């Protein structure tokens, strides 16, 4: 009996010891884990802020993309509405422009730039004239009804020819008639209308049977009645007209009759 009693006591003591051990582990674990739990809570807070920042950044990027797409769509719609034409690819537009210029070579209104006066111009003025010829051709390409363009008295050994090659990419491939021949010999006098600011009459209408000639002269020193002298060299009097009033002298015009600039 004593042995049984002592065994029971030992079991009870062992149970109490085990319970104490468990209590001790719980207490130690609780104390040791507190810094860890604080660190985990701190890390979660940082991660939460970082996720919020990433979401805000992604939302801003998405909004900017949408705004760019809307602006692009609005530009395309405005362009289509202003021209009244559907949008085409660059390749298609290039083909349309080429076909339009080729048609103008046979049916377009004739516009000639008389380049016989470049000898009286300075190098700076010659360079300016080369740039104006480039803009004239660029405007003509964009026109719905382009002109049949002529450049007369343009010699290959001239300063202007060299400047056109230097300044204007693809100049030799321009869809226009370039000749060393004088406009005096190229066109019949009765078909010529010479545009000059020295004329007394303003040009208000255009005639498909006429050839309109611009004096290719940039004269920063303002040389008077130069183009009138050219007109007088025709065998019979040509029509003389002033393009439009109050335009800066010396600027070769775009391919739009309503925007022609006075030339001397």
């Amino acid at each position: 009996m004593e042995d049984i009693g002592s065994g029971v006591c030992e079991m009870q003591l062992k149970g109490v010891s085990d319970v104490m051990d468990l209590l001790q582990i719980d207490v130690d674990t609780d104390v040791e884990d507190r810094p860890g739990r604080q660190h985990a809570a701190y890390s979660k807070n940082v991660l939460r802020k970082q996720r919020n920042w990433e979401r805000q950044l992604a939302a801003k990027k998405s909004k900017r993309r949408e705004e760019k797409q809307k602006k692009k769509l609005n530009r395309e719609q405005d362009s289509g509405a202003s021209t009244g034409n559907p949008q085409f690819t660059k390749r298609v537009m290039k083909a349309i422009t080429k076909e339009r210029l080729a048609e103008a070579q046979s049916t377009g209104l004739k516009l000639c730039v008389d380049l016989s006066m470049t000898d009286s111009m300075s190098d700076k003025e010659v360079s300016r004239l080369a740039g104006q010829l480039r803009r004239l051709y660029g405007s003509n390409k964009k026109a719905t009804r382009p002109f049949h363009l002529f450049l007369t008295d343009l010699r290959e050994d001239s300063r202007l020819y060299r400047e056109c090659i230097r300044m204007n990419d693809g100049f030799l491939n321009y869809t226009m008639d370039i000749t060393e021949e004088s406009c005096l010999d190229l066109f019949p006098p009765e078909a010529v209308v010479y545009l000059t600011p020295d004329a007394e009459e303003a040009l208000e209408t255009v005639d498909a049977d006429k050839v309109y000639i611009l004096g290719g002269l940039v004269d920063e020193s303002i040389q008077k009645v130069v183009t009138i002298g050219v007109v007088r060299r025709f065998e019979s009097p040509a029509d003389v007209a002033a393009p439009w009033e109050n335009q800066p002298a010396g600027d070769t015009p775009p391919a739009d009759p309503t925007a022609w600039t006075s030339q001397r």
Side-chain angles (χ1 to χ4, degrees):
M1 292 294 292
E2 290 179 358
D3 292 335
I4 294 172
S6 64
V8 170
C9 290
E10 288 177 1
M11 290 179 63
Q12 290 176 346
L13 290 173
K14 185 178 181 180
V16 171
S17 177
D18 291 339
V19 170
M20 293 300 294
D21 290 338
L22 289 173
L23 289 174
Q24 182 65 32
I25 290 172
D26 288 341
V27 171
D28 293 341
T29 301
D30 184 60
V31 172
E32 293 176 0
D33 283 349
R34 282 177 184 173
R37 285 202 299 271
Q38 290 176 356
H39 179 71
Y42 176 75
S43 298
K44 288 180 181 179
N45 188 36
V46 172
L47 291 174
R48 184 170 62 253
K49 290 183 178 179
Q50 183 176 354
R51 285 194 296 268
N52 289 336
W53 178 80
E54 291 174 351
R55 283 195 295 267
Q56 292 175 1
L57 183 61
K60 289 181 179 179
K61 289 183 177 179
S62 178
K63 186 177 180 180
R64 282 197 295 268
R65 284 195 299 268
E66 291 178 357
E67 290 177 350
K68 288 182 179 179
Q69 291 175 353
K70 287 181 180 179
K71 289 180 179 179
K72 182 179 179 181
L73 181 61
N74 290 335
R75 285 196 301 268
E76 292 176 351
Q77 290 176 347
D78 293 341
S79 177
S82 61
T83 59
N85 296 324
Q87 296 297 309
F88 297 108
T89 62
K90 290 184 178 179
R91 180 178 297 180
V92 173
M93 287 301 301
K94 187 176 181 179
I96 292 174
T97 300
K98 186 176 181 180
E99 181 180 355
R100 191 179 291 162
L101 290 174
E103 183 179 355
Q105 293 293 99
S106 58
T107 62
L109 191 67
K110 293 180 176 62
L111 178 64
C112 171
V113 182
D114 177 14
L115 301 173
S116 63
M117 295 164 282
T118 56
D119 290 340
S120 62
M121 296 164 54
S122 66
D123 291 341
K124 180 181 178 181
E125 291 169 340
V126 168
S127 295
R128 285 188 57 193
L129 179 56
Q132 291 170 6
L133 292 176
R134 179 182 66 246
R135 292 196 295 272
L136 170 64
Y137 182 72
S139 297
N140 197 50
K141 284 176 60 177
K142 297 176 182 179
T144 305
R145 298 174 59 188
F147 288 104
H148 180 185
L149 294 179
F150 296 83
L151 300 183
T152 59
D153 269 295
L154 183 58
R155 303 184 309 275
E156 291 188 6
D157 61 348
S158 65
R159 291 178 299 159
L160 178 60
Y161 187 88
R162 291 193 296 269
E163 281 298 283
C164 286
I165 296 296
R166 184 183 70 84
M167 295 177 57
N168 307 338
D169 293 338
F171 175 74
L172 296 179
N173 296 322
Y174 281 7
T175 307
M176 62 168 64
D177 290 346
I178 302 175
T179 178
E180 295 185 2
E181 191 174 0
S182 170
C183 61
L184 303 175
D185 302 324
L186 190 61
F187 307 110
E190 64 273 10
V192 168
V193 177
Y194 208 105
L195 304 174
T196 168
D198 300 314
E200 297 179 357
E201 297 181 9
L203 179 67
E204 297 179 353
T205 60
V206 293
D207 185 347
D209 295 327
K210 297 290 187 178
V211 179
Y212 295 90
I213 300 181
L214 295 167
L217 175 64
V218 175
D219 53 343
E220 295 181 346
S221 59
I222 312 297
Q223 303 178 42
K224 291 291 185 179
V225 299
V226 176
T227 49
I228 288 290
V230 175
V231 174
R232 289 171 181 164
R233 284 153 48 193
F234 279 92
E235 292 181 359
S236 61
D239 292 336
V240 181
W244 270 264
E245 299 297 330
N246 301 323
Q247 296 292 330
D251 289 336
T252 301
D256 180 357
T258 61
W260 282 351
T261 307
S262 300
Q263 292 292 309
R264 290 181 162 75

